[in-house]
Amino acid sequence: MIVREQDDVVIMMKQHDHGLLAGDLARYFKEEHVPEEGRREEVLHAIGQHDRGWIDLDETPFWNDAENAPYSFMDFPVVPKLNFYKKGLDEIEQDTLYGALLCSLHFERLIEVSSEQGPELSLYQEREAERRARIHRELEETRPLGEDELYYDARLLQFCDDLSLYMGLNEPGSPKSEEHPWWVDGFSGSEDFSFTSGRVISTEWKDASTLVLDPFPFSQDVEVAYKLRKVPKSEIKLKGIALAYSETPEEEYRITVAGQPE
């Protein structure tokens, strides 16, 4: 679950909905900058499905007593989180070996930049290293896997994941001074795309329905839609998080992602 707070509500976005939004964005990425490869549809599928392991978890949110807030993807207990990471990767692998490889690498990067430790984490990493080695061997039997191709696709997943998270963790239309601290210096890794000439892609809300990116990574202005729930804190206190969440209707946000005006 992606969670942020306002004065009287807790704003919540399902993790899989965030993943689907990332996949929608990836489809508009400038194709002239995509390496020539035969795995584009697998990559797009993987980006859209990368957080499907959270589907069951997000049906009923859990309360974090220590933080007096719902658990989010950032503070969810590590052992069940790893189990659902594995579940999601197993399901992706049934559809695409290459997609499972990409997503496994993606989660490994997230783990490496976190402070999580423990034997369960070590076991998860060992098993995922085995998964990636096995997939590498199977893919090599059909078509050699280029490291440049894999590096690029991993960066595309990272960028689309970050941009989708940006939309979930920032209030549309909010000023730069209120931006979530993760993106104060732009989107890490975006400087590796050839079209940026080494610049980091940065973003800013033009208004409550328009998000401006510079340099612009898409083939056209992109309109996307995603859903959030604004759960009243009074209802959480009265009924508990599970019931308050289930009784709160989803609200749809429609955002246009655009480039800097000429």
Side-chain angles (χ1 to χ4, degrees):
M1 192 74 72
I2 296 170
V3 179
R4 57 184 170 90
E5 291 192 44
Q6 290 181 339
D7 290 342
D8 56 352
V9 296
V10 178
I11 300 173
M12 306 177 71
M13 179 182 189
K14 290 181 178 179
Q15 202 75 17
H16 184 51
D17 286 351
H18 141 75
L20 294 173
L21 174 59
D24 289 342
L25 291 164
R27 289 193 172 275
Y28 292 94
F29 205 82
K30 294 179 178 179
E31 288 195 44
E32 61 264 32
H33 300 297
V34 177
E36 292 186 12
E37 56 175 82
R39 297 188 172 105
R40 175 172 168 77
E41 286 305 314
E42 291 182 78
V43 173
L44 295 176
H45 177 80
I47 294 174
Q49 296 295 315
H50 77 272
D51 269 339
R52 66 171 296 105
W54 292 90
I55 291 174
D56 292 337
L57 281 174
D58 281 352
E59 282 303 309
T60 304
F62 297 84
W63 190 255
N64 184 343
D65 291 327
E67 298 295 333
N68 196 32
Y71 274 111
S72 75
F73 72 99
M74 290 184 277
D75 57 15
F76 200 85
V78 63
V79 174
K81 178 165 66 175
L82 294 176
N83 288 334
F84 281 90
Y85 274 0
K86 179 183 180 302
K87 179 179 182 290
L89 289 168
D90 289 344
E91 292 174 356
I92 292 168
E93 186 175 345
Q94 292 177 9
D95 294 324
T96 159
L97 288 175
Y98 186 64
L101 173 62
L102 275 181
C103 292
S104 180
L105 285 169
H106 181 66
F107 291 137
E108 186 71 12
R109 181 185 66 84
L110 296 180
I111 289 169
E112 287 174 352
V113 300
S114 75
S115 59
E116 296 173 334
Q117 297 180 356
E120 297 87 359
L121 181 59
S122 297
L123 180 59
Y124 168 85
Q125 290 178 299
E126 290 173 12
R127 289 176 174 172
E128 284 306 310
E130 293 170 359
R131 183 201 301 267
R132 293 193 296 271
R134 172 176 51 76
I135 291 176
H136 265 283
R137 290 193 299 270
E138 293 185 41
L139 291 175
E140 288 293 334
E141 293 176 1
T142 55
R143 181 166 73 82
L145 179 61
E147 288 304 313
D148 289 344
E149 171 187 350
L150 182 58
Y151 180 82
Y152 175 90
D153 291 337
R155 281 287 177 264
L156 180 60
L157 170 53
Q158 176 188 340
F159 173 73
C160 294
D161 180 43
D162 278 352
L163 182 55
S164 177
L165 277 176
Y166 184 97
M167 294 183 190
L169 287 172
N170 286 284
E171 179 66 22
S174 57
K176 197 73 175 174
S177 60
E178 297 177 8
E179 187 175 56
H180 192 284
W182 285 357
W183 296 285
V184 169
D185 296 321
F187 292 91
S188 176
S190 61
E191 68 274 15
D192 293 339
F193 294 119
S194 60
F195 66 90
T196 66
S197 300
R199 296 170 59 201
V200 175
I201 296 175
S202 61
T203 189
E204 188 171 4
W205 292 102
K206 177 182 177 183
D207 52 47
S209 61
T210 308
L211 186 62
V212 175
L213 270 62
D214 183 41
F216 190 61
F218 300 113
S219 58
Q220 61 186 67
D221 288 357
V222 179
E223 184 181 53
V224 293
Y226 55 96
K227 295 179 180 179
L228 305 170
R229 297 191 198 203
K230 295 185 175 181
V231 187
K233 292 181 179 179
S234 59
E235 292 296 295
I236 295 174
K237 185 176 181 180
L238 180 66
K239 302 175 180 178
I241 184 58
L243 185 57
Y245 175 83
S246 68
E247 291 182 350
T248 301
E250 291 184 322
E251 299 181 24
E252 184 176 81
Y253 282 66
R254 302 194 73 86
I255 302 295
T256 297
V257 183
Q260 286 280 11
E262 297 292 336

